[in-house]
């Protein structure tokens, strides 16, 4: 009697070769961008160590102290304008990132993604390590750290357009919101890991808070060079359906099993001659103006500008806010700030699920942004009254703030980058993604800058600025929300993927 296959083997063989490749690419790109965000986080953790309340620190007996209030601070952040100097460091990175993002998408369309990502991660690892080496080399020049931040910001722009383009090459629209909502948790996972790694060294040798993340992203760059596959066609897998009739778009699974992914005897993907010809005719890189003309790109770009302003203000200033208001030390504040990112993971997944079910990407974003505004006010008002309240409010605010940001930068960008007006031009995805995230990165630069300028007048004013940004983000989506509402009321056909926006 022949024994049945082991349950584990039956599970493995129930999935097709295409499914395994898709899962592998999803995991790899998740790992890559986790490393990108992991290497960005240390600066927010180290801030409260570069400038702290030295009167509570035990002084070495052999140290000649001239100023009791600043003896333990790292020059030049020992002055009263330390928040402004921190703002300079933040914006050195973020302005370079915003400018570089618009250029990065253009390069991403014209260069092999595997080489582009590998060089970007190795270079980003180098500059992250150089920032940390300033501790061991005893460098106290603001210019040194600012230049390192500028170069790191430029190198980090290689990541987002390239990973979204790669995922867009492998996955269709059927359950894109949910899959990309789960996948986009790499942002929060990277922030959490970056906070924990930086926090482990910040109180003893803050240079290691940068060097360890720098080495990690460099290692992922090597991994990318050896294992990334840019397109399904490169390994004879079935390319996804990016456009077509509504029914097939709505129901196409992202991870197909073997019954839905059989190929012919030659191993070639099953594709009609007409679709192959259509794709081949439109493989030239799209122009910047051509990408802007895609319906929905401008509105979502401007919305992301303000949504990312809020998200990145929390990314760079939340640990310092918790340290100042709740009087935690640097490590405790960094650990507590990870709860905001935990909420962001849940928020991104929920936004993807809801938008997939309703077909309303813009409405989902708008509702979450509207609810986020009063929640930010409540967090500033009562968020520090007890530990339980702090945890609950951080989780809730993280979900509401990062949910729309995650949805726009992933599923929305991929939808627009594979819009039916492009007629199969897969090379447009990198440029569309770069435009949307590049515009958002302007907000990412403005948020921490404004926080640095406003925070000396009181944290209340910082939160008023964040609430105003949330409201403005909603206003830019008003036309798209109206269009989606019309579709639900039966006046226009409801189609996912922005076919008739």
């Amino acid at each position: 009697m022949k024994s049945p296959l082991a349950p584990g083997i039956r599970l493995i063989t129930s999935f097709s070769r295409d499914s395994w490749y898709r899962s592998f690419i999803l995991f790899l790109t998740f790992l890559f961008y986790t490393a990108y965000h992991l290497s960005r986080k240390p600066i927010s953790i180290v801030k409260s160590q570069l400038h702290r309340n030295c009167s509570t620190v035990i002084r070495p007996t052999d140290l000649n102290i001239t100023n009791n209030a600043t003896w333990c601070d790292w020059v030049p952040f020992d002055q009263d304008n330390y928040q402004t100097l921190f703002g300079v460091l933040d914006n050195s990175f973020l302005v370079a990132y915003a400018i570089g993002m618009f250029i990065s998408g253009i390069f991403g369309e014209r260069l092999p993604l595997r080489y582009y990502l590998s060089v970007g991660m190795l270079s980003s690892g180098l500059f992250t390590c150089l920032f940390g080496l300033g501790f061991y080399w005893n460098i106290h020049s603001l210019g040194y750290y600012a230049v390192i931040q500028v170069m790191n910001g430029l190198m980090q722009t290689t990541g987002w357009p390239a990973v979204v383009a790669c995922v867009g090459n492998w996955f269709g629209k059927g359950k894109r919101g949910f899959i990309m909502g789960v996948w986009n948790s790499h942002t929060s996972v990277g922030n959490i890991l970056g906070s924990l790694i930086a926090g482990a060294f910040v109180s003893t040798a803050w240079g290691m808070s940068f060097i360890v993340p720098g080495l990690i992203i460099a290692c992922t760059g090597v991994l990318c060079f050896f294992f990334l596959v840019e397109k399904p066609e490169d390994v004879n897998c079935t390319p996804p359906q990016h456009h077509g009739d509504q029914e097939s778009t709505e129901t196409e699974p992202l991870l197909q099993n073997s019954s839905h992914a059989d190929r012919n005897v030659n191993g070639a993907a099953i594709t009609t001659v007409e679709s192959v010809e259509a794709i081949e005719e439109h493989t030239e890189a799209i122009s910047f103006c051509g990408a802007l003309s895609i319906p929905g790109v401008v509105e979502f770009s401007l919305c992301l500008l303000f949504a990312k302003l809020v998200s990145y203000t929390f990314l760079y200033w939340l640990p310092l806010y918790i340290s100042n208001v709740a009087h935690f030390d640097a490590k405790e504040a960094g650990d507590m700030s990870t709860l905001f990112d935990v909420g962001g993971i849940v928020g991104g997944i929920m936004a993807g699920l809801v938008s997939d079910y309703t077909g309303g990407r813009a409405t989902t974003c708008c509702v979450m942004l509207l609810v986020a505004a009063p929640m930010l006010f409540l967090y500033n008002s009562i968020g520090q009254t007890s530990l339980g309240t702090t945890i609950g409010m951080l989780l809730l605010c993280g979900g509401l703030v990062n949910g729309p940001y995650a949805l726009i930068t992933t599923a929305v960008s991929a939808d627009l980058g594979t819009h039916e007006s492009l007629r199969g031009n897969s090379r447009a995805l990198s440029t569309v993604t770069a435009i949307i995230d590049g515009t958002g990165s302007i907000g990412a630069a403005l948020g921490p800058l404004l926080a640095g300028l406003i925070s000396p007048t009181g944290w209340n004013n910082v939160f008023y600025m964040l609430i105003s940004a949330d409201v403005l983000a909603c206003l830019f989506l008003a036309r798209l929300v109206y269009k989606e509402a019309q579709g639900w009321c039966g006046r226009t056909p409801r189609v996912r993927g922005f076919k008739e926006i």
Side-chain angles (χ1 to χ4, degrees):
M1 179 179 177
K2 185 178 179 180
S3 62
L5 282 174
I9 300 300
R10 288 203 304 271
L11 176 64
I12 292 173
T13 55
S14 66
F15 292 95
S16 68
R17 180 173 176 272
D18 283 15
S19 298
W20 285 115
Y21 265 107
R22 280 179 165 80
S23 300
F24 179 64
I25 294 302
L26 204 66
F27 171 75
L28 270 187
T29 51
F30 181 95
L31 188 65
F32 297 159
Y33 213 69
T34 295
Y36 272 99
H37 258 266
L38 181 150
S39 65
R40 295 180 197 175
K41 188 63 178 179
I43 185 66
S44 65
I45 304 300
V46 172
K47 280 178 183 176
S48 53
Q49 183 70 17
L50 297 177
H51 185 98
R52 50 185 174 154
N53 184 4
C54 297
S55 61
T56 63
V57 181
I58 299 175
R59 291 178 292 178
T61 56
D62 58 343
L63 185 64
N64 184 20
I65 298 172
T66 58
N67 191 325
N68 188 56
T70 63
W71 68 268
C72 66
D73 295 338
W74 188 266
V75 179
F77 307 105
D78 58 339
Q79 304 301 315
D80 292 337
N81 66 339
Y82 71 97
Q83 289 177 316
T84 302
L85 299 184
F86 287 151
V88 170
L89 291 186
D90 292 342
N91 278 274
S92 295
F93 176 94
L94 292 169
V95 171
Y97 184 87
I99 294 172
M101 184 60 71
F102 290 102
I103 305 170
S104 180
I106 297 172
F107 282 111
E109 284 187 5
R110 292 159 173 81
L111 298 175
L113 294 180
R114 181 167 63 92
Y115 297 154
Y116 193 53
L117 274 171
S118 298
V119 171
M121 284 188 275
L122 287 169
S123 301
S124 183
L126 170 64
F127 290 113
T128 303
C129 289
L130 285 174
F131 195 107
L133 288 172
F135 172 80
Y136 295 99
W137 294 341
N138 202 29
I139 297 175
H140 295 277
S141 168
L142 178 66
Y144 171 83
Y145 296 109
V147 169
I148 294 297
Q149 286 287 82
V150 168
M151 296 305 299
N152 199 13
L154 292 173
M155 294 303 103
Q156 288 262 331
T157 62
T158 59
W160 190 242
V163 294
V164 172
C166 188
V167 171
N169 288 339
W170 278 88
F171 292 92
K173 288 183 179 177
K175 298 175 184 176
R176 182 176 275 168
F178 171 67
I179 291 293
M180 285 196 143
V182 174
W183 176 75
N184 192 64
S185 63
H186 53 47
T187 298
S188 297
V189 171
N191 290 340
I192 292 169
L193 292 176
S195 297
L196 296 176
I197 292 171
F201 302 103
V202 66
S203 299
T204 54
W206 62 258
M208 292 301 295
S209 297
F210 290 90
I211 293 172
V212 173
L215 293 175
I216 291 174
I217 190 174
C219 290
T220 57
V222 175
L223 194 67
C224 174
F225 179 81
F226 282 103
F227 293 103
L228 182 66
V229 181
E230 297 177 25
K231 298 177 181 179
E233 299 92 305
D234 295 341
V235 286
N236 291 327
C237 287
T238 308
Q241 179 178 349
H242 289 303
H243 59 90
D245 60 88
Q246 178 178 348
E247 182 179 357
S248 62
T249 301
E250 294 288 332
T251 59
E252 179 199 359
L254 289 178
L255 295 178
Q256 300 172 333
N257 60 31
S258 56
S259 64
H260 295 288
D262 295 330
R263 294 186 302 278
N264 59 22
V265 293
N266 294 324
I270 299 175
T271 309
T272 63
V273 175
E274 290 82 359
S275 63
V276 172
E277 291 175 350
I279 292 173
E280 288 177 350
E281 289 174 0
H282 299 282
T283 56
E284 71 279 0
I286 192 173
S287 67
F288 188 86
C289 293
L292 284 176
S293 67
I294 298 172
V297 168
V298 172
E299 288 93 335
F300 275 109
S301 296
L302 294 174
C303 172
L304 185 62
L305 187 151
F306 290 100
K308 209 166 180 179
L309 182 153
V310 178
S311 181
Y312 268 66
T313 301
F314 274 98
L315 174 67
Y316 281 91
W317 288 89
L318 182 58
L320 186 62
Y321 170 77
I322 294 174
S323 179
N324 287 352
V325 176
H327 307 294
F328 289 175
D329 64 29
K331 185 180 186 305
E332 291 173 336
D335 292 344
M336 186 65 70
S337 70
T338 61
L339 294 172
F340 185 84
D341 294 297
V342 173
I345 294 174
V346 178
I349 294 172
M350 291 303 298
L353 275 173
V354 172
S355 69
D356 274 345
Y357 179 76
T358 62
R361 308 281 201 219
T363 304
T364 302
C365 292
C366 192
V367 170
M368 295 186 77
L369 289 167
L370 282 175
V371 177
M375 290 302 104
L376 292 177
F377 179 82
L378 285 177
Y379 172 62
N380 185 47
S381 302
I382 65 171
Q384 309 299 333
T385 55
S386 67
L387 182 61
T389 305
T390 300
I391 293 173
M393 292 302 297
L394 280 173
L395 290 171
L396 182 59
C397 290
L400 293 171
V401 168
N402 285 340
Y405 162 39
L407 185 62
I408 294 172
T409 54
T410 53
V412 169
S413 294
D415 284 348
L416 295 173
T418 54
H419 190 268
E420 66 170 1
S421 66
L422 298 171
R423 292 178 290 177
N425 184 357
S426 61
R427 297 182 67 186
L429 183 53
S430 184
T431 295
V432 170
T433 302
I435 289 174
I436 293 176
D437 200 53
T439 305
S441 297
I442 296 173
L446 286 175
L449 173 63
L450 292 174
L453 296 175
I454 297 172
S455 56
T457 67
W459 287 106
N460 287 343
N461 295 328
V462 174
F463 276 86
Y464 294 148
M465 180 265 291
L466 298 178
I467 292 169
S468 300
D470 264 342
V471 174
L472 288 171
C474 291
L475 292 178
F476 282 110
L477 292 181
R479 186 184 72 87
L480 303 184
V481 171
Y482 176 71
K483 282 291 212 180
E484 290 175 353
Q486 280 186 317
W488 293 326
C489 294
R491 296 181 182 179
T492 57
R494 191 184 109 185
V495 180
R496 185 180 298 135
F498 308 104
K499 288 188 177 183
E500 298 293 338
I501 287 180

